[in-house]
Amino acid sequence: MSDRFLVSGGNRLVGEVVVGGAKNSVLKLMAAALLAEGTSVITNCPDILDVPLMAEVLRGLGCEVELEGDEARITTPAQPKYQADFAAVRQFRASVCVLGPLVARCRKAVVALPGGDAIGSRPLDMHQTGLRLLGAHSTIEHGCVVAEADALHGNAIRLAFPSVGATENILMAAVLANGETTIDNAAREPEIVDLCNMLVQMGARISGAGTSTLTITGVSRLEPTTHRVIGDRIVAATWGIAAAMTRGDVRVRGINPKHLSLVLDKLRSAGAEVTPEVDGFRVVQHDRPRAVNFATLPYPGFPTDLQPMAIGLAAVADGTSMITENVFEARFRFVEEMIRLGADARTDGHHAVVRGVEELSSAPVWSSDIRAGAGLVLAGLCADGVTEVHDVYHIDRGYPRFVEIIEELGGVIERVNSES
């Protein structure tokens, strides 16, 4: 059984939040340490549950991993093990990112099909297709992805969809392949650029980071490095949207505001005063937010990870909003929980229509994934009475110091042990 949060509504969030490293980057950077024998150091690691989980995956592959403060020291042996332990991998989706590095270093990988958030189908077809084009034989056997190659050779690869995970795995395999690889329709997320920057520091030859075409010229060997994780734009945007929902005033620091240009524009459309700063932004919302339409798309579009927060904002806005989900088909299951809180919302396929109400009403709700859990807490901050949010271990996987930050901003929230 999981702990639960008791969230009391009615308070404006006011103050400053310093955001740590990006969850969607740090786990891939930790996996990239497999590509070089020796000790790599990753700094600005977020204090979230997935970091020690990834450390366990790497230890199972023969690495020594030390986690201290916001730093991870990963010492990779000359010959890593190639089989990722099922018990560790099954707990979170990002564990599949060891597939590419293991094929590159060991010429073989056996990685259990990963678990993670229940937000829809996320098959590994593009991962496997990319590795096959690099010369690997890849199958699904006994609940595991199995990939083997006598040698990896560069190739022209075009992704059917700009998948972040597939881009990362193919990229990390290609850096040690013979010859040149191009990945067309590659993911463009800032976290991909962060990974490319670390790989280049290790000696990889990569061009086109941040564009839809990556060109990788394989090298024979990489060296360990020290790298700082970029700030978490999803966590930062969550606090910005929380300010708008609660009619608050929140300054967020620790990220590049250019990574959230579209999100900040949407908050302006909702009536917020948004001020970009050197290392963040400030959101001030004086009145009830205005209704705004959202459509999720791969970067630089509106992030699917912020869709629950967009629905939360729409639920308390003045007017009717249309939210379109173009990335993960099951993400709208979150709407059922919002309806428990009094949201006037209907879903039809990829679309949700939300008619804003003046105030939500407290109720017990259940989080199905990291972002849904955060969205439900934000909604609870705008509801009368006390909202119980269950299964909050999801939130712990993506948001450092979640309860403490809300309290520091003036919100009322309490973590209750599952046995209480």
Side-chain angles (χ1 to χ4, degrees):
M1 293 181 65
S2 169
D3 291 356
R4 66 187 188 275
F5 291 157
L6 303 182
V7 185
S8 299
N11 287 23
R12 298 175 70 229
L13 297 189
V14 178
E16 180 175 286
V17 179
V18 179
V19 173
K23 168 191 177 293
N24 290 338
S25 188
V26 66
L27 306 177
K28 323 306 172 62
L29 301 175
M30 293 175 72
L34 288 165
L35 290 164
E37 180 185 354
T39 302
S40 289
V41 180
I42 300 169
T43 64
N44 197 35
C45 295
D47 182 17
I48 57 174
L49 187 58
D50 277 9
V51 169
L53 288 176
M54 178 58 86
E56 281 305 305
V57 172
L58 295 178
R59 290 184 184 115
L61 295 171
C63 299
E64 295 179 10
V65 185
E66 299 174 33
L67 302 178
E68 186 172 346
D70 70 348
E71 183 175 288
R73 297 180 62 86
I74 303 165
T75 302
T76 301
Q79 292 186 315
K81 299 175 184 178
Y82 61 81
Q83 188 159 358
D85 176 64
F86 175 76
V89 169
R90 62 184 280 274
Q91 299 183 71
F92 65 120
R93 175 76 185 185
S95 56
V96 77
C97 65
V98 301
L99 182 62
L102 290 178
V103 175
R105 279 295 308 282
C106 307
R107 296 295 186 259
K108 184 171 183 179
V110 179
V111 181
L113 291 171
D117 293 333
I119 56 177
S121 174
R122 298 199 280 186
L124 300 179
D125 296 2
M126 284 186 285
H127 302 243
Q128 291 184 277
T129 298
L131 292 176
R132 288 173 186 142
L133 288 169
L134 293 176
H137 175 72
S138 182
T139 58
I140 303 290
E141 299 176 16
H142 308 294
C144 296
V145 185
V146 180
E148 296 183 72
D150 293 331
L152 295 179
H153 302 280
N155 206 340
I157 300 170
R158 180 171 179 80
L159 299 179
F161 178 85
S163 161
V164 171
T167 299
E168 290 163 340
N169 262 326
I170 297 166
L171 168 66
M172 287 191 279
V175 293
L176 292 179
N178 297 316
E180 183 176 281
T181 298
T182 57
I183 307 175
D184 280 325
N185 201 27
R188 300 166 56 189
E189 274 75 0
E191 295 79 16
I192 295 285
V193 178
D194 200 25
L195 175 60
C196 287
N197 289 340
M198 177 171 167
L199 293 172
V200 169
Q201 289 171 211
M202 297 171 76
R205 297 174 61 189
I206 303 166
S207 63
T211 74
S212 58
T213 301
L214 288 173
T215 302
I216 305 105
T217 303
V219 297
S220 60
R221 177 185 176 86
L222 295 180
E223 300 295 334
T225 191
T226 297
H227 182 80
R228 179 180 173 84
V229 188
I230 61 169
D232 197 316
R233 63 194 171 98
I234 304 300
V235 170
T238 298
W239 298 124
I241 294 172
M245 288 178 65
T246 62
R247 307 182 200 185
D249 179 352
V250 176
R251 172 177 276 111
V252 181
R253 295 176 47 226
I255 65 119
N256 182 346
K258 293 179 180 177
H259 294 165
L260 288 171
S261 296
L262 179 57
V263 176
L264 299 181
D265 282 345
K266 289 291 185 181
L267 289 177
R268 289 188 187 95
S269 298
E273 294 178 9
V274 180
T275 309
E277 299 180 348
V278 174
D279 67 340
F281 57 87
R282 180 182 179 187
V283 175
V284 183
Q285 185 86 37
H286 296 289
D287 303 310
R288 184 180 175 189
R290 295 192 295 265
V292 180
N293 295 332
F294 297 87
T296 67
L297 286 168
Y299 189 85
F302 190 86
T304 182
D305 279 353
L306 291 176
Q307 185 244 81
M309 279 57 86
I311 289 177
L313 180 63
V316 297
D318 183 8
T320 300
S321 303
M322 170 80 79
I323 293 90
T324 303
E325 175 55 57
N326 293 306
V327 182
F328 292 127
E329 70 278 3
R331 204 147 220 166
F332 277 147
R333 71 177 59 189
F334 159 83
V335 175
E336 298 172 8
E337 301 304 304
M338 285 295 298
I339 291 171
R340 291 180 192 268
L341 295 174
D344 184 353
R346 301 291 183 272
T347 61
D348 181 11
H350 289 276
H351 305 285
V353 176
V354 184
R355 296 175 177 84
V357 297
E358 282 278 358
E359 186 178 46
L360 297 171
S361 58
S362 58
V365 290
W366 281 259
S367 53
S368 55
D369 65 79
I370 296 170
R371 312 306 172 183
L376 289 169
V377 171
L378 300 196
L381 293 170
C382 302
D384 66 347
V386 179
T387 296
E388 289 190 16
V389 181
H390 295 261
D391 292 342
V392 301
Y393 65 91
H394 288 295
I395 302 172
D396 294 335
R397 287 183 46 226
Y399 288 88
R401 300 184 63 248
F402 190 71
V403 168
E404 293 84 350
I405 289 172
I406 290 176
E407 290 177 331
E408 289 166 7
L409 294 175
V412 179
I413 182 171
E414 178 185 2
R415 180 189 288 268
V416 177
N417 187 276
S418 58
E419 298 177 357
S420 300

